Amino acid sequence: MRLFRKANKKQGWLALAVHRDGLVGAAVRRAGGGMPVVVGVGFLQGEAGPETLARLGAELDASSFQLSHLLGNGHYQLLTVDSPNVAPDELRTAVRWRLKDMLDFHVDDATIDVFDIPVDKGAAVRPQQTMFAVAARNSVIGARQRLFEEAKLALEVIDIPEMAQRNISALLETEGRGLAMLSVAEDGALLTVSHGGELYLARRIDVPLELLTHADIERRHGGFDRIALELQRSLDHFERQFSFVSVARLLLAPSPADGLEAYLSSNLYIAVDQLDLASVFDLGAVPALADKGLQHRYFLALGAALRHEELLP
């Protein structure tokens, strides 16, 4: 299975993701030109086995949606490579060759997909085209396929958190400006920058949510400081690499890290705002999602369920 595949004709996506404490699902439909509508969300605690997956799929009416599965951090690698000058049908083979010394496992054991990073169309000299390459172990992809097959669920695509976060960011961009977004989770933080609906930057920051919510204020602020430093470094690097993209602001995804917005606002040179998912989605069918804690739990699954187009030819 390719990580990204053509969609079928069903309306809306149901995204399922494995969290440390259980299985999360979110179903979204797009209603014309209005806000995407959250049709339902669900969480089942415990091990994500076939029975649990089948149960959550039934609760969220999986047969009515295109179905995606969101890989967790550590189950794939996202790398940036120069785009090979080859025919489209030879692209993945060429990228596979370039990745052979970049992966932490043998390239023959990898499922690989790619997507472009847009270049400055107004540049006087055509810049080198770069692209993101996503690589996951065949054993991981195979295990997830078998899990869905045993649950009797028709898996359409396997997706990654960076693209899920990009999907939300793309709906909040100011025209002509880039948007940085930061989410925090148990295994660390994720920074993305999108522009024109495209992903330009994705970076993991090794600061876990546990540190950002620690009862000891000094330790908590130490985590805040590490986040601020890495954000500043990343945004400075982005500005040098993509000088044609002006980043308007940094949006913080919903999280229980109280005080992070104020801290970053005081220590970064760009505007920092807190995201409320009610500004992205129609939550009328799931009013419980007004709760910030639930928004945090379902954030990436909702982003994955925003998928509405084929990423690759």
Side-chain angles (χ1 to χ4, degrees):
M1 170 178 280
R2 281 171 44 182
L3 293 180
F4 304 104
R5 206 175 74 184
K6 283 186 177 181
N8 62 26
K9 299 299 183 181
K10 291 182 181 178
Q11 298 298 311
W13 284 91
L14 168 60
L16 299 169
V18 177
H19 286 197
R20 287 186 179 181
D21 56 348
L23 188 66
V24 169
V28 174
R29 284 196 173 101
R30 290 179 179 262
M35 279 185 167
V37 178
V38 179
V39 180
V41 295
F43 170 73
L44 291 179
Q45 193 168 15
E47 184 179 354
E51 292 183 2
T52 306
L53 186 63
R55 181 181 162 197
L56 185 57
E59 289 182 4
L60 294 173
D61 192 21
S63 62
S64 297
F65 296 90
Q66 298 173 82
L67 189 60
S68 73
H69 172 58
L70 194 62
L71 289 178
N73 184 28
H75 291 144
Y76 64 95
Q77 289 179 249
L78 180 65
L79 302 163
T80 305
V81 297
D82 289 339
S83 181
N85 185 23
V86 297
D89 60 349
E90 299 174 356
L91 181 59
R92 288 178 182 80
T93 300
V95 169
R96 180 179 291 274
W97 176 257
R98 292 194 173 186
L99 293 180
K100 66 184 181 67
D101 296 322
M102 301 173 69
L103 300 178
D104 57 14
F105 56 95
H106 199 284
V107 71
D108 289 344
D109 299 326
T111 298
I112 294 172
D113 223 326
V114 295
F115 51 99
D116 286 333
I117 301 174
V119 297
D120 182 5
K121 296 179 180 178
V125 178
R126 181 175 176 80
Q128 169 65 50
Q129 175 76 57
T130 57
M131 56 176 37
F132 286 113
V134 188
R137 293 178 185 268
N138 292 336
S139 58
V140 170
I141 300 301
R144 299 305 168 90
Q145 287 180 293
R146 289 190 296 273
L147 176 63
F148 278 78
E149 287 170 358
E150 291 172 14
K152 294 181 170 56
L153 293 174
L155 181 62
E156 296 281 346
V157 297
I158 294 177
D159 219 330
I160 59 173
E162 288 84 351
M163 297 305 289
Q165 186 159 306
R166 185 289 310 262
N167 292 346
I168 293 178
S169 179
L171 297 180
L172 295 164
E173 294 176 11
T174 301
E175 186 174 359
R177 305 287 296 278
L179 178 62
M181 182 173 285
L182 180 77
S183 61
V184 295
E186 289 78 5
D187 55 2
L190 172 62
L191 171 67
T192 58
V193 177
S194 68
H195 173 59
E198 302 285 352
L199 183 66
Y200 279 78
L201 172 72
R203 187 188 168 197
R204 292 280 178 177
I205 300 175
D206 187 22
V207 179
L209 180 60
E210 180 184 11
L211 182 59
L212 301 178
T213 57
H214 202 283
D216 187 306
I217 192 169
E218 289 190 8
R219 292 192 64 182
R220 187 165 70 248
H221 278 196
F224 287 1
D225 190 55
R226 284 170 57 190
I227 288 276
L229 178 61
E230 295 303 323
L231 285 174
Q232 191 66 68
R233 287 175 174 171
S234 296
L235 293 173
D236 285 347
H237 175 73
F238 180 86
E239 185 176 347
R240 291 191 297 271
Q241 186 176 9
F242 299 103
S243 58
F244 62 98
V245 178
S246 175
V247 178
R249 56 180 175 150
L250 171 70
L251 270 182
L252 300 183
S255 85
D258 293 332
L260 181 59
E261 178 189 358
Y263 191 92
L264 294 180
S265 294
S266 299
N267 289 275
L268 295 178
Y269 65 87
I270 64 172
V272 180
D273 295 311
Q274 182 68 54
L275 171 62
D276 182 348
L277 291 182
S279 65
V280 182
F281 298 95
D282 179 343
L283 304 179
V286 191
L289 277 179
D291 178 76
K292 183 173 70 172
L294 289 181
Q295 290 195 9
H296 173 251
R297 167 170 282 171
Y298 294 109
F299 174 73
L300 287 175
L302 286 166
L306 277 174
R307 179 189 181 92
H308 70 290
E309 61 186 357
E310 180 185 354
L311 294 179
L312 293 171

